[in-house]
Amino acid sequence: MENLERAEAWGQASSGMAYVFRPSTPSGLQAVFELARDTGVPIGLRGAGRSYGDAAMNSERILVDLERMNRILAWDPASGIVEVEPGVTIEQLWRYVLGDGWWPPVVPGTMFPTVGGCLAMNVHGKNNWREGTFGKHVLEFEALLPTGEYVVCTPERDPELFHAMIGGLGVLGCFTRIKLQLKRVHSGQLDVLALSIPNMDAMLEDMESLRDDWEYLVGWVDCFAGGRGVGRGQIHAANHLDNLADPSPTQSLRLDHQDLPDTFFGLVPKSILWRFLKPFANNLGWKLVCLARYLMAKRGHGHRFKQSLAEFNFLLDYVPHWKRAYWPLGLIQYQCFVPKAEASEAFVQILRLCQARGLPSYLGVTKRHRPDDFLLSHAVDGYSLALDFRVTRRNRQRLLALAHDLDEIVLAHSGRFYFAKDSTLAPESAVGYLGAESIQSLFALKARLDPDNLLQTDLWRRVFEPLSIREKFHNRAESQTLHSPS
Amino acid sequence: MTATEADHQNALLSRPKALLIGASSGIGAALARRLAAEGFDLALVARRMPELEALCGELSQAHGIRALAYAHDVQDTAAAPSLLESIARDLEGLDLFVYVAGVMFPHDPDAYDTENDLLTLKVNTLGAIAWCNPVTLRFVRAGQGQIVGLGSIAGDRGRRAIPAYSASKAALETYLEALRNRVTRSGVTVTTIKAGQVDTDMLKNAAAVRGPVSAERAADMIWRAIRLRKQVVYIPGRWALIGWVVRHIPSFIFRRLNL
């Protein structure tokens, strides 16, 4: 009772109460696992709580917040191999290694998630088609299983477990030690190109032609644009500078060069910028903001400039507390991944349906991806479209119905989904994209590693628990028919 | 566009959750029906399980909500915190807590029955405190929630026919007032219902019946008080005036009245 706290989805559209524990050492973590085994109350794992939906929530049960297990255990500046505890944040990591000329090979759009969380969700960056997901760069990890055992995994030694626990939503075990290979950088600057894009076809075509010469690609979509301009927006492409291109690499690799400016136009403190966004956070106001942004993008077409690594990669941190513009009921994000041949058609259908329902997305982002070997993989050889939706008191039901209809479009185009963002996916849709076989392997692993089903999250109970119950029921029915005397 | 049951499992569309103590009959059962009609998921607590289960079946059928039954005797105050934990887990949260459990023994001018009097205080007051404390802790941590306690106009003055009942309700009302003052900064609402005569089984034990309202009418008025986040509400409303008069009758007159 004393540990009862409120835990929110990062998008703030849902929240719940949980019994929160914050161990600072592996033995502390073991003690919480023991408590769960003794009481039978399930445990959920939470890093920085940066998943948009319910992935890091475990309402009315035990929630282990891993942010205090945040030590960097070993660092070798010669090889770029770092060993960290799961609560180390991406920010902590890059600040620690940048001075030695290294950078995490894959970073999400914000620097605040923990490494453990990035691994449980197997996050990607703006270079997914080149570098793969975060898990691709893990050399080895150690994890505590709900039974109290430790396992050490490498991609070679135990590929099945390695590819299931990474992206395993934190329901198979808790990472306690993670060894990562970082990427060599010669400059703290990126060479950035900005292009304005008239529609979705052009967006994906341009990304396709840019991807050979550029290491990072990200597209912004004006989701309000209709007619022939559906999918219009802007592409930012970026490359690391090579050995010679940065005249003063020792300068640009210093941390103070990376710090994001704390004022906007040198005048408005950025910490209060969200207050200026708030009045526009409605369908008309945001349409104007998007239009203005598109016109600015048009003026800046072909503009080439230098940006610091942090500024380019952590775009979402540019306006601090931006989610407060969605106050009081928050936002949800809907992200889908569609193979390249059908992506444009699917994305146009999606954007048009949102507009037709009167539920335009306030922020649309496209990225390029490639498939990978992880069990619960979200990536395809194609593109993703991420959409932010404002939640209001009156639109909840329509929003959920819209999300289900978007799922149909995505599944019809052999698309996939991503649990770090998800708040709406139905169990059937999860089977639809992961396939019954993957789900069965997941359940088999879960039964082996966590026989008492002690590791759970709200997401697990929403999407996977119903499938697991159905499967058990199905199995029992089958074995009964097999054994029934005929 | 109608939302399916699976949609209501989604936190985005989840229904509000209410816990009622003393829900098997009378005002409690009527309020359960009213809250079910308003789309609440319910946890109903009482001693009599068969009645509770029948009510839960009826409500989940009629309104498509989740209604769960728990057997519990409010005299078992030590059991309240852990039962609250498991109820919150089963309901997946809690937004509204209502304590309507109460007893009133028939008036007997010659009896001074300690056992009955203590039981009255245990059920009406001590049980309420045992539940309100852990519920309040939860609501304060959540920064939201509403607590509703059922007081009585009998709590306004010491009534000759029902000393223990008067005292139990007066104590409960004072406790609720203090609780309200204590949590008002944390976004938690505490509502005291001061009921006049309501047509329930308890009324059979009343010394005199003066124009009672039906349990359904009482439930409507309690729901209104919940919706408007009222602090103190008399039901029926006209009793607010009567209550004011009763509170201000000087003792040298009051003790000679047949109230």
Side-chain angles (χ1 to χ4, degrees), chain A residues 62-116:
Chain A
I62 296 173
L63 190 60
V64 176
D65 181 332
L66 291 159
E67 277 194 301
R68 290 176 69 216
M69 284 179 64
N70 61 352
R71 279 164 288 256
I72 292 173
L73 301 169
W75 167 233
D76 177 8
S79 63
I81 294 175
V82 69
E83 208 173 303
V84 299
E85 286 190 326
V88 167
T89 62
I90 298 292
E91 177 182 25
Q92 213 183 329
L93 182 62
W94 72 256
R95 283 181 174 274
Y96 195 83
V97 300
L98 185 64
D100 291 328
W102 297 89
W103 182 257
V106 171
V107 291
T110 161
M111 62 173 100
F112 302 117
T114 60
V115 171

Side-chain angles (χ1 to χ4, degrees), chain A residues 181-476:
Chain A
Q181 173 66 59
L182 303 185
K183 179 190 173 79
R184 191 65 148 147
V185 292
H186 301 285
S187 161
Q189 301 253 62
L190 289 167
D191 177 21
V192 185
L193 171 70
L195 298 172
S196 84
I197 304 294
N199 57 46
M200 186 55 78
D201 275 335
M203 172 85 74
L204 302 190
E205 270 165 32
D206 279 15
M207 279 183 131
E208 205 60 29
S209 59
L210 287 165
R211 76 190 185 108
D212 290 333
D213 301 325
W214 297 86
E215 292 174 71
Y216 297 91
L217 281 177
V218 60
W220 164 75
V221 180
D222 172 3
C223 299
F224 288 89
R228 282 189 303 175
V230 171
R232 77 181 181 196
Q234 187 177 30
I235 289 178
H236 281 105
N239 269 333
H240 285 284
L241 295 179
D242 61 29
N243 230 336
L244 304 169
D246 189 347
S248 52
T250 47
Q251 289 291 318
S252 68
L253 286 172
R254 284 175 48 173
L255 287 183
D256 48 8
H257 182 81
Q258 298 292 329
D259 285 331
L260 308 179
D262 58 1
T263 53
F264 202 60
F265 297 129
L267 281 174
V268 186
K270 284 218 303 206
S271 57
I272 61 160
L273 197 56
W274 66 272
R275 290 176 195 274
F276 292 88
L277 295 178
K278 182 86 188 85
F280 293 97
N282 53 64
N283 286 355
L284 181 65
W286 210 254
K287 188 173 181 161
L288 293 174
V289 170
C290 286
L291 179 67
R293 179 158 178 200
Y294 179 67
L295 293 176
M296 269 168 67
K298 250 185 139 162
R299 268 190 64 192
H301 182 72
H303 182 48
R304 208 157 164 172
F305 53 101
K306 302 266 190 295
Q307 224 173 3
S308 77
L309 287 169
E311 204 173 350
F312 178 82
N313 277 295
F314 307 122
L315 212 59
L316 289 174
D317 304 334
Y318 197 74
V319 180
H321 313 303
W322 59 270
K323 70 174 172 181
R324 290 186 194 163
Y326 289 95
W327 187 84
L329 294 178
L331 75 149
I332 59 169
Q333 185 171 98
Y334 183 90
Q335 187 172 19
C336 56
F337 300 72
V338 180
K340 58 182 173 189
E342 304 178 54
S344 179
E345 186 195 314
F347 292 170
V348 168
Q349 266 185 41
I350 286 172
L351 290 172
R352 284 198 199 281
L353 186 63
C354 296
Q355 290 169 1
R357 294 277 173 89
L359 292 166
S361 157
Y362 284 14
L363 177 68
V365 172
T366 55
K367 288 192 285 271
R368 183 71 169 93
H369 301 273
R370 77 168 187 211
D372 54 49
D373 304 328
F374 293 95
L375 182 61
L376 297 184
S377 173
H378 58 270
V380 297
D381 181 13
Y383 296 91
S384 70
L385 177 64
L387 303 170
D388 286 3
F389 293 98
R390 177 179 180 226
V391 177
T392 65
R393 201 161 49 82
R394 298 216 312 260
N395 80 1
R396 286 169 180 251
Q397 195 163 331
R398 287 188 300 139
L399 204 53
L400 202 55
L402 172 68
H404 291 332
D405 292 341
L406 298 184
D407 291 348
E408 296 296 316
I409 298 177
V410 174
L411 289 172
H413 292 88
S414 323
R416 299 180 86 89
F417 305 97
Y418 181 28
F419 290 112
K421 309 291 182 70
D422 179 60
S423 316
T424 57
L425 199 69
E428 293 71 32
S429 309
V431 184
Y433 88 88
L434 289 167
E437 215 171 289
S438 301
I439 302 247
Q440 268 162 14
S441 329
L442 175 70
F443 287 153
L445 264 176
K446 175 89 173 149
R448 198 179 91 205
L449 304 178
D450 183 12
D452 299 323
N453 200 13
L454 280 181
L455 280 175
Q456 300 185 8
T457 58
D458 284 2
L459 185 145
W460 173 262
R461 283 191 298 279
R462 168 167 62 88
V463 180
F464 292 95
E465 197 77 21
L467 298 171
S468 139
I469 291 166
R470 221 171 296 167
E471 170 146 318
K472 274 180 204 143
F473 182 73
H474 181 69
N475 285 348
R476 201 179 313 146

Side-chain angles (χ1 to χ4, degrees), chain A residues 2 6 19 60 396 423, chain B residues 10 12 85 89 138 141-142:
Chain A
E2 285 311 303
R6 186 188 163 104
Y19 302 90
E60 302 300 341
R396 286 169 180 251
S423 316
Chain B
N10 190 300
L12 277 185
E85 259 180 47
R89 192 166 306 141
R138 156 179 292 269
R141 294 278 171 86

Side-chain angles (χ1 to χ4, degrees), chain A residues 41-61:
Chain A
V41 179
I43 295 186
L45 302 176
R46 184 178 177 96
R50 287 267 157 177
S51 283
Y52 280 72
D54 49 6
M57 289 166 60
N58 197 25
S59 300
E60 302 300 341
R61 292 156 180 87

